[in-house]
Amino acid sequence: MAIDGGLLSGLGVVAAVVEAGNFIGAARVLGLTQSGVSRAVARLEQRVGLRLFDRTSRAVTLTDEGRRFYEEVAPLLAGIEDATAAVAGARTTVRGRLRVNVDAAFGHYVLSPHLGTFLARHPELELELVVRDRIGDLVAEGLDVAVRFGDPEPSGLIRLRLAYYRVVTCASPDYVARHGLPQHPSDLLHAAHECIRIREPFTGRFFEWEFQRGEEVLPIDVGGRLVVNDAGSLIGALLGGHGIGQPFEFAVRELLDAGRLVQLLPDWSDEHYPVHVYHRSREHPAAKVRAFLDFLQTLA
């Protein structure tokens, strides 16, 4: 079987450009000049008969055709890398650069505290954590995995449900001393209570407040003067005594145990929110992706 070394080399250059986001970064990784990278990409484009990248003075992005092309070849390149490492008798095939797009709350409170363990287990792996409020285009941006809360987002990506995490209603002891304990979710509609709402950055809508007791689900259209769009700001406002909020339990468990926050309406705390993992490899994920997916399962 004849293998076109020039074609494989060009594909490797394209992968480096996608991951770096520009020709300069790819040249640095590959040990080439910027013009050398540009020529390699041009040769591959001529070979396949497609314009793979849109080039501007500031950025290099995949064209629609380039995105489809790269989506097909990226898993194959990863498979070649894994096979080469295995045949060479390497200590591990989990190597290279892994880029993960993660929801801020999950990244800060669940994932980041354990990343040292994961990296120690795979010393030849480099991990980049990209924290932001939406998936985006994993292929075009050179991302390998995304972790997002909420209902599944429509996409052509492979999706796995990782876990369900509980939502708790809480406030600071100072707030409770000033405003009293609500006895029923409907009490939050009274003017005496101030609720801190979270706006979903991608849709612009407020996250709905729901209270669940067994099979009974009670939506409450709360109001409040403070609106935030991330878990850190919500928790800071709760600790400051401004109002009542609904963070994930994992983000405030230590604060609840220490008495710095007080859980409200515990009989109505059966609401759980799903978190999903997305990746782009359709059949044979790269070893680094498989290792990270297995690691995520240990955190669920």
Side-chain angles (χ1 to χ4, degrees):
M1 177 180 63
I3 297 178
D4 189 330
L7 178 61
L8 287 177
S9 176
L11 293 175
V13 172
V14 167
V17 173
V18 172
E19 292 190 2
N22 54 58
F23 287 174
I24 297 176
R28 186 181 305 116
V29 170
L30 297 171
L32 301 174
T33 64
Q34 183 179 348
S35 60
V37 170
S38 181
R39 287 194 299 271
V41 170
R43 285 194 297 269
L44 183 62
E45 288 178 325
Q46 184 177 14
R47 173 71 180 274
V48 300
L50 295 174
R51 182 167 57 86
L52 300 177
F53 292 103
D54 284 324
R55 304 162 175 82
T56 69
S57 59
R58 293 188 176 183
V60 177
T61 58
L62 284 169
T63 63
D64 290 341
E65 294 83 1
R67 181 187 182 280
R68 288 193 293 270
F69 178 76
Y70 183 71
E71 190 171 19
E72 292 295 329
V73 302
L76 303 178
L77 290 173
I80 291 172
E81 182 180 355
D82 287 352
T84 301
V87 171
R91 178 178 50 189
T92 175
T93 59
V94 180
R95 58 172 59 183
R97 186 183 185 207
L98 180 71
R99 302 188 72 225
V100 178
N101 169 344
V102 65
D103 175 272
F106 188 87
H108 293 161
Y109 298 105
V110 179
L111 181 57
S112 293
H114 302 281
L115 286 179
T117 300
F118 177 68
L119 290 172
R121 192 178 302 162
H122 305 292
E124 298 180 50
L125 183 69
E126 177 185 343
L127 176 64
E128 180 179 352
L129 206 60
V130 180
V131 177
R132 64 182 186 190
D133 54 28
R134 61 188 181 88
I135 290 182
D137 191 330
L138 296 193
V139 174
E141 299 174 59
L143 293 159
D144 299 291
V145 179
V147 184
R148 317 304 309 172
F149 278 105
D151 294 328
E153 298 188 23
S155 75
L157 299 170
I158 306 303
R159 183 186 72 246
L160 304 170
R161 188 174 64 224
L162 178 63
Y164 284 94
Y165 289 95
R166 192 157 74 106
V167 175
V168 295
T169 306
C170 56
S172 70
D174 176 65
Y175 177 90
V176 172
R178 288 184 286 114
H179 297 273
L181 282 170
Q183 302 301 311
H184 187 271
S186 61
D187 292 346
L188 301 183
L189 298 174
H190 296 168
H193 283 297
E194 183 84 23
C195 295
I196 306 169
R197 294 177 291 173
I198 299 181
R199 189 185 299 278
E200 207 283 317
F202 186 54
T203 65
R205 297 192 298 266
F206 291 120
F207 280 110
E208 297 179 355
W209 284 46
E210 288 187 348
F211 295 85
Q212 186 171 347
R213 183 172 58 183
E215 298 299 318
E216 184 179 3
V217 178
L218 182 62
I220 298 292
D221 187 15
V222 301
R225 292 177 296 151
L226 179 60
V227 176
V228 299
N229 71 349
D230 74 293
S233 297
L234 171 62
I235 294 171
L238 290 173
L239 291 171
H242 175 73
I244 298 172
Q246 284 197 326
F248 287 111
E249 182 181 29
F250 62 71
V252 294
R253 183 72 266 164
E254 292 184 1
L255 297 172
L256 291 169
D257 291 343
R260 298 183 63 193
L261 292 177
V262 177
Q263 183 178 353
L264 309 179
L265 302 166
D267 293 340
W268 289 87
S269 62
D270 292 335
E271 181 188 7
H272 289 73
Y273 214 58
V275 61
H276 292 88
V277 183
Y278 301 80
H279 64 94
R280 65 194 190 196
S281 301
R282 295 187 179 277
E283 295 182 1
H284 303 291
K288 61 185 179 182
V289 173
R290 294 196 303 270
F292 188 70
L293 296 178
D294 291 343
F295 170 69
L296 288 176
Q297 293 292 335
T298 69
L299 303 181

